[in-house]
Amino acid sequence: MGVLSVNDLKGGMVLAREVTNKHGNILLERGDVMDEKHIMLLKSWGVTEVDIEGVDREQVEKKEMEELSPDLIATIEEELKGLFPDFGDNSIMKELYRVIRKFKIKHAVEQPHGCSSETK
Amino acid sequence: MDAVVKPNKIDRILRSVDRLPTLPTIYTKLTRLLRSPNTAVREIGNIIAEDQAIAVKVLKLVNSAFYGLPHKIGNLKQAIVILGLNQIRTLVLATSTLQMFQKFGSDHSFDMQKFWEHSIGCAVAAKVLAETAYLKSPDDVFAGGLLHDIGKLIHAVYLKEEFAAVVADVEESGVSVIASEKRILGYDHTYTGRELAIKWSLSEETVAMIAHHHLSDSSAELTKEIAAVHIGNIFSIALSLGSGGEKRVPFVDMKAWEILGIELSNLESIIARIDKLFNESVAILET
């Protein structure tokens, strides 16, 4: 099992642990099979991560990246290199860089003809 | 060009009240109503109906995907009940800020459209952080984010040449705007912004968010609201939402992050939400 961001969930994935709200009430049971409606509900409840059977985040993200054009990734990394300072092992900046890089790549794939975040 | 400005030049500009941009009376009226305990929806409705541009935006906001209401709302009073006075006041402030930027916008070394987008970007990011951290008034944090760089507007308009030198310096050397302003002007936009905010009689909290969003004064008390604007500014730069002239993403202050108490694992959904809300806000405000 592995923790996945709700944004990376796909239909058919199986919950490895129940999803609870902050009061401990169970929202979805362990073993529930994810479909579009579940994913939408999780987002509307503000749940950000869930445990899924048989996956891990790095593996999912790596697989996603393999499907993308290396040119696209290189372009985005180049853009971010100019934008981000040398952050060393600052944990917040490291995570911010990882999230922004992922977000920009996702955006570019979803809107191949748009121009990243400046699209209105 | 003489790049060094005498320190009292900005104070003189700030004293010449008739030249400075002002907050519209509709915002002042709504603020007064917000402080009064028995304000009727009808009163707010009357004030808003006087300004067609605002009225249209109120209806647009309430009917936006953000609220996801099952029926279209065409009635101003209903819209006010759903949105609440605080939210409407924020909308009025954002609209007036846009008008202010447009009015002073042309003929500057600074891209005012992008600058306004940066202000909205920071406002939205700060609000999302405030909501995630359960702060008591995310709309006030939005206002602080919206006005955090208002000092730069004053610099761009009244200290044209000097500020152009700052923009060129940042572009060339990659230092932060605030460092370059200190070097070239002798003070920075947080000073000017604070003075203007006081002139506008904004609340103490808003003044503090504008004055301390760079956390450059270590003797000032770090509140959660200031932390939200500080980090919101950085996130909007990292997402390239508009531009306030900054070339590089500033470092997130550790203490500011800790005081908000947000888990790092929430970052992904926070960033996605900021981007979505930014695009929606720009679409509503620019029509």
Side-chain angles (χ1 to χ4, degrees):
Chain A
M1 82 180 190
V3 178
L4 281 194
S5 156
V6 168
N7 295 320
D8 292 330
L9 289 184
K10 298 216 161 55
M13 287 180 168
V14 180
L15 284 184
R17 195 164 62 179
E18 74 271 5
V19 176
T20 57
N21 64 12
K22 63 176 172 178
H23 306 295
N25 302 327
I26 293 177
L27 304 173
L28 289 174
E29 299 277 1
R30 177 182 166 180
D32 279 354
V33 182
M34 293 297 100
D35 59 25
E36 282 306 316
K37 201 176 149 202
H38 284 130
I39 296 169
M40 209 180 72
L41 279 172
L42 285 169
K43 284 180 182 169
S44 69
W45 288 330
V47 176
T48 54
E49 293 183 323
V50 291
D51 261 352
I52 292 294
E53 291 284 7
V55 294
D56 76 272
R57 179 153 91 177
E58 263 178 44
Q59 195 192 354
V60 168
E61 285 180 3
K62 208 174 142 202
K63 204 174 151 226
E64 255 186 9
M65 293 298 163
E66 277 167 7
E67 292 164 8
L68 296 173
S69 108
D71 283 354
L72 175 74
I73 295 176
T75 310
I76 287 168
E77 281 180 346
E78 192 59 35
E79 182 197 327
L80 291 183
K81 215 174 105 189
L83 193 60
F84 272 79
D86 182 9
F87 47 78
D89 56 1
N90 180 305
S91 57
I92 302 172
M93 296 305 282
K94 215 166 150 181
E95 179 67 0
L96 183 62
Y97 177 84
R98 186 190 74 79
V99 168
I100 295 282
R101 177 179 174 276
K102 188 178 163 192
F103 180 82
K104 294 248 174 201
I105 292 171
K106 207 173 163 195
H107 222 273
V109 172
E110 280 165 6
Q111 300 182 325
H113 306 296
C115 45
S116 71
S117 58
E118 277 155 41
T119 318
K120 305 231 172 70
Chain B
M1 185 191 69
D2 179 16
V4 181
V5 180
K6 294 195 178 72
N8 60 3
K9 183 168 175 186
I10 191 68
D11 290 327
R12 209 165 54 233
I13 290 166
L14 284 162
R15 268 199 306 270
S16 57
V17 183
D18 47 326
R19 286 172 68 195
L20 286 181
T22 51
L23 280 181
T25 43
I26 175 169
Y27 182 76
T28 328
K29 279 186 199 165
L30 288 175
T31 306
R32 206 161 43 227
L33 285 183
L34 192 72
R35 285 181 191 142
S36 134
N38 40 12
T39 296
V41 172
R42 187 171 40 82
E43 278 180 81
I44 305 165
N46 289 343
I47 291 177
I48 289 169
E50 281 170 28
D51 188 326
Q52 277 306 304
I54 300 275
V56 168
K57 285 182 180 114
V58 166
L59 290 174
K60 250 198 164 132
L61 177 63
V62 80
N63 287 306
S64 70
F66 188 48
Y67 284 88
L69 298 174
H71 309 290
K72 199 167 156 48
I73 308 283
N75 176 315
L76 211 46
K77 272 181 211 157
Q78 261 182 303
I80 292 164
V81 171
I82 294 165
L83 294 173
L85 183 48
N86 219 344
Q87 175 96 297
I88 287 182
R89 209 170 60 109
T90 311
L91 183 74
V92 169
L93 185 62
T95 307
S96 349
T97 316
L98 173 61
Q99 286 162 352
M100 212 183 286
F101 280 33
Q102 283 167 342
K103 187 176 157 200
F104 294 97
S106 53
D107 185 36
H108 294 290
S109 57
F110 207 43
D111 185 332
M112 284 290 172
Q113 171 68 25
K114 286 209 154 166
F115 183 38
W116 179 74
E117 284 176 16
H118 168 64
S119 303
I120 292 288
C122 173
V124 164
K127 181 179 170 166
V128 169
L129 287 163
E131 284 170 348
T132 312
Y134 301 106
L135 302 196
K136 60 179 189 301
S137 181
D139 284 319
D140 289 347
V141 175
F142 182 97
L146 192 64
L147 299 174
H148 77 288
D149 269 351
I150 198 76
K152 280 187 197 166
L153 178 72
I154 301 296
H155 290 174
V157 174
Y158 298 106
L159 301 173
K160 243 184 198 172
E161 282 185 18
E162 296 89 336
F163 196 62
V166 168
V167 173
D169 181 34
V170 170
E171 190 56 41
E172 213 168 285
S173 66
V175 294
S176 65
V177 172
I178 187 168
S180 179
E181 281 175 329
K182 273 189 193 141
R183 201 157 69 194
I184 293 175
L185 301 173
Y187 51 86
D188 62 68
H189 62 276
T190 62
Y191 170 78
T192 309
R194 176 178 178 273
E195 296 299 310
L196 185 63
I198 292 172
K199 263 193 190 310
W200 280 351
S201 318
L202 296 177
S203 71
E204 230 173 90
E205 291 79 15
T206 313
V207 173
M209 284 184 256
I210 295 169
H212 303 305
H213 70 272
H214 284 293
L215 312 181
S216 45
D217 177 4
S218 53
S219 66
E221 187 202 354
L222 174 60
T223 63
K224 289 185 178 188
E225 286 74 19
I226 292 171
V229 175
H230 166 73
I231 300 168
N233 179 40
I234 294 169
F235 283 8
S236 68
I237 296 168
L239 271 167
S240 310
L241 307 177
S243 169
E246 220 65 80
K247 186 133 169 122
R248 284 180 172 257
V249 181
F251 271 75
V252 174
D253 183 87
M254 278 292 183
K255 275 204 198 96
W257 182 260
E258 277 163 16
I259 197 178
L260 279 184
I262 296 174
E263 295 283 337
L264 216 44
S265 61
N266 281 336
L267 200 56
E268 208 167 315
S269 62
I270 288 174
I271 290 293
R273 194 167 149 68
I274 290 171
D275 186 71
K276 185 163 172 269
L277 215 52
F278 170 77
N279 288 316
E280 278 179 13
S281 305
V282 169
I284 290 169
L285 290 166
E286 279 194 337
T287 44

